[in-house]
Amino acid sequence: MEEKGKNDEAGKLFLQGWEEATNDLEKFLAAHYVSRHQKTVSDKLKWLETALEYALKINDDTVKSAFPALYSNIAKCYEDLSDTVKAKENYELAKLYKDNPADKGPFYHGTKADLQIGELLTAGGNSNYKSDFKMNHIYFTGLVNGAGLAAALAKGTGPERVYIVEPTGNYENDPNLTDKKFPGNPTRSYRSDSPLKIIGEAIDWVRPDPEDLQKFREKLEDSEGQIIN
């Protein structure tokens, strides 16, 4: 409904989601979406702070990457309400969380390349999604099956491999996925302009269903979105 521009209907459905939520994660997600359909700044602020309340209760890697956007949106509400002290406080919290991803791994990278422990993965390769697009970062995830999906989509004819990797420098939430369909970074996807060191290979991961994989490829082909590089 939201994508079709039917915001009143969307707002009612999100509110129904809130009323039927049974755990902290569901309440966090529902409150986030309810906040987007409020008519006044005060009401929007109330729902954003409710979403933050439940995110803080969960306080794990599925929600921590939502904190920068949550605190920024809360700060903007206080700014609109002329409360400069609370606006500044929340903007500072947004920056603190943005500059320091909390996820400590283990991390994984999916590919069809045959690599060895100790080798370095570096930025500058072609995108799996746009073959003529040079990537300025190397990407990885905290979810082994997410890396498996990346391996299935990777260029090449070799077997799918999921390597356990260790960042050698700073890394950030992948902006192509963070705060897009869902708040935060639920896929635990990250990127770095520093190399990733291969420290092992993961064997126990679930390969994507071929039918689901084909649907995913078709969706990517139809996508008009731009890669944030």
Side-chain angles (χ1 to χ4, degrees), residues 149-161:
L149 174 60
L153 294 169
K155 308 296 183 185
T157 57
E160 297 155 7
R161 314 287 287 269

Side-chain angles (χ1 to χ4, degrees), residues 12-158:
K12 290 175 183 176
L13 288 167
F14 286 133
L15 190 58
Q16 183 179 344
W18 164 260
E19 290 167 350
E20 295 183 9
T22 59
N23 59 51
D24 291 344
L25 180 60
E26 291 176 356
K27 289 176 181 177
F28 155 66
L29 288 169
H32 163 81
Y33 284 111
V34 170
S35 73
R36 303 201 315 199
H37 292 272
Q38 298 307 299
K39 307 295 185 187
T40 70
V41 175
S42 295
D43 285 341
K44 181 177 182 179
L45 176 60
K46 180 189 78 171
W47 281 104
L48 284 169
E49 290 187 326
T50 299
L52 177 62
E53 174 190 345
Y54 284 100
L56 289 169
K57 284 184 180 180
I58 300 165
N59 200 34
D60 65 16
D61 293 324
T62 64
V63 299
K64 283 180 180 178
S65 51
F67 288 159
L70 272 173
Y71 281 118
S72 289
N73 288 328
I74 289 170
K76 180 63 169 62
C77 287
Y78 278 119
E79 194 173 60
D80 291 343
L81 293 169
S82 300
D83 189 334
T84 55
V85 173
K86 286 192 174 180
K88 182 175 184 292
E89 176 185 312
N90 282 278
Y91 278 131
E92 287 175 350
L93 285 167
K95 186 177 188 308
L96 175 67
Y97 279 100
K98 183 177 185 299
D99 293 345
N100 296 279
D103 200 339
K104 302 304 179 188
F107 296 124
Y108 308 94
H109 178 87
T111 181
K112 290 190 175 75
D114 184 8
L115 304 170
Q116 303 298 317
I117 292 175
E119 287 192 55
L120 296 176
L121 296 163
T122 58
N126 288 336
S127 168
N128 286 327
Y129 311 115
K130 290 187 178 181
S131 57
D132 58 344
F133 200 87
K134 288 282 187 185
M135 303 303 292
N136 294 329
H137 302 82
I138 187 78
Y139 289 76
F140 58 102
T141 174
L143 301 181
V144 67
N145 292 335
L149 174 60
L153 294 169
K155 308 296 183 185
T157 57

